[in-house]
Amino acid sequence: PQEKMNKTKKIIIQEGITSIAHYGLPGKDVTEISLPNSLNKIGEAILSFYPKLKKIELPKALIFLPKDTFESSTNLEEIVFSSKTTKIGEGCFKNCKSLKNLTIPDTVTYIGKNAFKGCKELRTITIPKKLKTYKADLNKLPKLTKVINHSSKTIPLDDCNGAKTWKVNGKKVKSVPPGKTATSKIARYKIIYYYSGGKAQGKCPKYYYYGKEPKLPKVKRKGYIFF
């Protein structure tokens, strides 16, 4: 493809281009990418490893999001999907650590393995209505507290080794039945401090919530270093 980069570090793909090969777009400092509506095919990892990209709008003609499409675009917060997208490939959103809410379009029928792996900030996910094949999982997503299942599939849930309790209509569950919504509460742990003769500087949180790093105080004592 022919790319055009301006002073705002934006990539503009010209209208009329219909496909882009694997890893076809350069630039780790890119903050914005404009894709033409004529684009209907992209290669693997085409929008991956863009640490400064926050939002992407996908072309209307794009049907298939292949393997690792958005992998490690760590600041990506919003994806505007095509209403024609039917397939989400393996590792599609892997390590998209800033995604908080993800609504998969109802047109999607296939979600591949590890599609959501490493999405550590994900809070809410909506599973599409027409889903036929589901190979992904929702494991090790510490902040996920809501799963909306519009599909006819039963979606397994992860209790994070007992740190989460999932419920549907007030009843504890380990999976989300078709057409239901599951919500979870995150475990809270009491923090006990041992200063060994030192003095804390700053606030001392009383509790630790699973998946959220507490801002612990600095501790000082002459002749000592606290870790």
Side-chain angles (χ1 to χ4, degrees):
Q2 295 180 2
E3 312 102 19
K4 179 181 178 183
M5 294 193 64
N6 57 26
K7 292 181 181 179
T8 59
K9 297 180 181 177
K10 177 179 179 179
I11 293 179
I12 301 173
I13 308 297
Q14 295 176 353
E15 193 66 45
I17 289 175
T18 59
S19 65
I20 303 174
H22 300 352
Y23 305 96
L25 300 178
K28 290 184 178 180
D29 292 328
V30 171
T31 58
E32 190 175 349
I33 298 174
S34 178
L35 301 172
N37 281 325
S38 57
L39 188 67
N40 58 39
K41 185 178 180 181
I42 57 175
E44 293 180 6
I46 200 69
L47 297 166
S48 63
F49 294 92
Y50 284 96
K52 296 184 180 180
L53 184 67
K54 289 189 174 183
K55 179 181 177 180
I56 186 72
E57 184 170 348
L58 299 175
K60 294 178 181 178
L62 193 60
I63 294 175
F64 175 35
L65 300 181
K67 182 179 178 181
D68 301 335
T69 297
F70 303 103
E71 181 187 357
S72 296
S73 287
T74 50
N75 263 331
L76 189 62
E77 296 176 354
E78 184 180 356
I79 302 168
V80 181
F81 290 92
S82 162
S83 60
K84 294 183 178 180
T85 301
T86 60
K87 187 175 181 180
I88 290 174
E90 180 180 342
C92 187
F93 309 104
K94 187 165 60 178
N95 295 327
C96 288
K97 296 179 180 180
S98 295
L99 274 180
K100 293 182 179 179
N101 301 295
L102 189 59
T103 300
I104 309 295
D106 278 336
T107 52
V108 171
T109 60
Y110 178 97
I111 299 177
K113 186 178 179 181
N114 294 326
F116 316 114
K117 185 177 180 180
C119 294
K120 294 183 178 180
E121 289 293 323
L122 192 63
R123 318 290 174 86
T124 302
I125 186 168
T126 302
I127 305 298
K129 189 175 183 179
K130 294 183 179 180
L131 185 67
K132 293 180 180 179
T133 303
Y134 180 77
K135 295 185 177 182
D137 59 56
L138 299 175
N139 295 338
K140 298 181 181 180
L141 303 179
K143 295 185 181 180
L144 185 66
T145 56
K146 190 174 185 180
V147 179
I148 304 167
N149 184 14
H150 288 161
S151 77
S152 59
K153 297 285 183 181
T154 297
I155 306 299
L157 298 169
D158 179 22
D159 69 354
C160 295
N161 294 320
K164 286 185 185 181
T165 302
W166 288 97
K167 290 185 178 182
V168 172
N169 296 331
K171 295 182 179 180
K172 290 183 180 181
V173 295
K174 293 184 178 181
S175 59
V176 196
K180 298 294 183 179
T181 296
T183 56
S184 73
K185 286 188 176 181
I186 296 174
R188 185 182 77 171
Y189 304 92
K190 188 176 181 180
I191 300 175
I192 299 173
Y193 296 90
Y194 295 95
Y195 300 130
S196 298
K199 290 185 178 180
Q201 297 183 332
K203 293 183 179 180
C204 299
K206 291 183 178 180
Y207 300 100
Y208 159 71
Y209 294 86
Y210 177 77
K212 297 181 181 180
E213 281 193 31
K215 292 183 179 179
L216 298 175
K218 290 184 178 180
V219 180
K220 286 193 174 183
R221 179 182 173 186
K222 189 174 181 180
Y224 289 80
I225 297 174
F226 286 84
F227 293 92

